[in-house]
Amino acid sequence: MGDVKAASLAYRPRPCDTYGLAGILTTLTGQPTPLRLTVMSTEALLEQLYDTPETDLIEDIRRIRAELDGQVLILGHHYQREEVFAFADVSGDSLRLSQQAAATHTPYIVFCGVHFMAETADILTSDEQTVILPDPAAGCSMADMADSPQVEACWRELATVIDPDATVTPVTYINSAATLKAFCGEHGGIVCTSSNARRVMEWAWGQRQKILFFPDRHLGENTAVAMGIADEDMIVWDPNQPMGGNSRQAIERARLILWNGFCSVHQLFRPEHVDTMRRAHPGIRVAVHPECSRAVCEKADFIGSTEAIIRDVAAAPAGQAFAIGTELNLVNRLRLQHPDKPVYFLSPMVCMCSTMFRTDPQHLYASLKAIRDSRELNRVVVPPEIKRWGKISLQRMLDLG
């Protein structure tokens, strides 16, 4: 990997800009705030933000957003809380938001999502554009389940059995770090989303005999099953085990190598939840996200990305009941948007993405105020070498449509 590997090891998310928050709070509270460049001062300043009535904050967001008209594009993922989602200029799943980031020339992009999404936007935009993540602590547990050293180690271990650069196409789910997108770019691989996973995997098998799919085992497995791939052609790679826990023979035989990662939200949906819903509501339509386990997906009526689930609900006749297995904020929004269709949350437990929920009106306000005051706050910057290779893998995906 050379320069990409070195850049990967050196790259860390940027910390919160305490100076920007201090300036914001001076204006917000009307009282000067002493500038102390410490983590505690940042926490104290945020506490003051939370003391401001949210109704006032919402009005301030509207006002500043109007002042910045034409300078800022707010992207909002479907899993965002409603009071933030309402301010999105463009909403969507990861594929739609990636396409929008690639197409826009707006100077500032405020990404109401999680860190890997903001990284993707920075990769796809020009050096003259600035990508901001309102809360830099908004990460993704799935993305953290595969890092660059682990994937590099996997590639080296595979090389003791096969020639991976000749026989394996690496495919990373977009829910992954920029360094892994760069890895795929340099090794002839590609990025996928839950919307286009099948199309991407067809392309990948058209390039080489095997696919290494990371970090989400379930998306890869569910897509492969829908494509007719046999169980004996798939193996699971555990990065904590030698050779991923597989024999040489299994590696040689496998067409699909699935990284043992998962979404902490979607893993909470269980097959028995589907059975319970069907008993309680005969005729209910069960729609789930492909990040759910195979056992859940096999019991569902519909498997699709967030965009696909939204379309499925919209297309159904009035009175059709739904049990939906994906993040809670989206399910609640669908319930509000379709009062003529009973919409139930598939799980009896609360399955909410806590890191998506970190982005709140306070952080959005802070980001917009910093832009207006020409202060840099929570900018996401992907190093040039990682950006170069990452863009290649993302562009391969975007070229597939």
Side-chain angles (χ1 to χ4, degrees):
M1 286 280 282
D3 293 339
V4 171
K5 184 175 181 180
S8 300
L9 294 174
Y11 178 40
R12 296 291 185 274
R14 296 168 65 109
C16 184
D17 182 339
T18 54
Y19 173 78
L21 283 171
I24 289 162
L25 280 162
T26 299
T27 305
L28 178 65
T29 63
Q31 300 294 324
T33 303
L35 178 61
R36 295 187 300 278
L37 297 180
T38 66
V39 173
M40 288 304 297
S41 69
T42 301
E43 292 175 355
L45 295 173
L46 279 171
E47 286 178 9
Q48 292 184 49
L49 276 171
Y50 287 113
D51 286 339
T52 302
E54 191 165 289
T55 52
D56 295 345
L57 207 54
I58 295 297
E59 286 304 314
D60 285 338
I61 293 173
R62 291 194 181 103
R63 175 177 50 79
I64 295 177
R65 183 67 187 86
E67 292 176 17
L68 293 171
D69 186 46
Q71 300 179 57
V72 176
L73 178 72
I74 300 177
L75 301 179
H77 192 273
H78 286 308
Y79 295 165
Q80 288 292 295
R81 60 172 79 200
E82 198 64 36
E83 58 269 35
V84 170
F85 188 82
F87 286 103
D89 297 305
V90 179
S91 60
D93 61 5
S94 296
L95 177 60
R96 175 166 164 75
L97 296 179
S98 296
Q99 292 169 329
Q100 187 62 43
T104 186
H105 300 289
T106 307
Y108 293 93
I109 297 172
V110 177
F111 212 123
C112 297
V114 292
H115 197 267
F116 75 80
M117 297 178 183
E119 283 186 328
T120 300
D122 187 60
I123 290 170
L124 292 171
T125 52
S126 71
D127 293 339
E128 288 70 42
Q129 292 171 285
T130 297
V131 176
I132 294 168
L133 184 66
D135 187 342
C140 173
S141 60
M142 181 201 293
D144 292 340
M145 290 179 188
D147 60 29
S148 188
Q150 288 176 318
V151 173
E152 290 278 0
C154 169
W155 205 251
R156 288 193 301 271
E157 288 188 276
L158 289 174
T160 66
V161 181
I162 57 178
D163 180 357
D165 281 301
T167 61
V168 181
T169 304
V171 176
T172 187
Y173 190 19
I174 200 166
N175 298 35
S176 61
T179 51
L180 297 190
K181 296 177 177 72
F183 177 91
C184 288
E186 190 170 16
H187 289 276
I190 191 169
V191 179
C192 80
T193 74
S194 55
S195 290
N196 63 14
R198 179 169 184 149
R199 193 157 61 249
V200 166
M201 290 173 73
E202 288 172 344
W203 177 91
W205 269 313
Q207 308 305 303
R208 297 169 187 165
Q209 301 164 252
K210 303 174 185 286
I211 291 174
L212 172 62
F213 190 98
F214 49 85
D216 183 27
R217 167 187 176 173
H218 299 305
L219 176 62
E221 182 177 15
N222 288 322
T223 304
V225 168
M227 296 172 69
I229 303 301
D231 287 347
E232 56 266 28
D233 291 331
M234 297 184 274
I235 60 173
V236 176
W237 187 276
D238 182 347
N240 298 311
Q241 297 291 329
M243 303 296 287
N246 299 284
S247 67
R248 295 176 64 90
Q249 292 76 15
I251 292 171
E252 289 172 345
R253 184 183 66 245
R255 294 185 61 202
L256 178 60
I257 303 168
L258 297 162
W259 196 269
N260 195 26
F262 56 85
C263 170
S264 58
V265 172
H266 289 95
Q267 72 157 351
L268 296 175
F269 296 105
R270 309 294 302 165
E272 53 267 29
H273 297 161
V274 179
D275 298 335
T276 299
M277 277 292 176
R278 293 201 192 282
R279 285 195 299 269
H281 307 281
I284 198 167
R285 182 170 172 82
V286 178
V288 302
H289 194 280
E291 289 176 19
C292 293
S293 70
R294 177 176 175 179
V296 171
C297 289
E298 286 178 339
K299 284 179 171 286
D301 300 300
F302 180 81
I303 306 166
S305 67
T306 52
E307 289 283 342
I309 290 173
I310 289 168
R311 290 193 298 268
D312 191 58
V313 174
Q320 174 63 61
F322 281 87
I324 298 180
T326 193
E327 206 272 345
L328 181 62
N329 281 299
L330 174 59
V331 179
N332 284 339
R333 191 173 300 122
L334 288 171
R335 184 182 294 119
L336 293 172
Q337 291 173 347
H338 300 281
D340 60 331
K341 301 167 190 176
V343 175
Y344 300 94
F345 193 58
L346 179 60
S347 172
M349 300 176 290
V350 174
C351 302
M352 184 180 69
C353 182
S354 59
T355 50
M356 282 279 190
F357 199 69
R358 294 189 67 94
T359 303
D360 53 25
Q362 288 79 6
H363 284 86
L364 178 58
Y365 177 88
S367 298
L368 295 174
K369 187 72 163 58
I371 293 170
R372 195 193 69 174
D373 295 346
S374 301
R375 296 190 183 95
E376 184 174 302
L377 178 66
N378 301 334
R379 182 178 183 182
V380 174
V381 180
V382 177
E385 190 67 6
I386 295 173
K387 187 170 185 173
R388 181 170 75 90
W389 285 110
K391 189 168 186 175
I392 289 173
S393 64
L394 283 162
Q395 193 59 55
R396 286 175 182 142
M397 175 189 75
L398 294 172
D399 288 345
L400 293 179

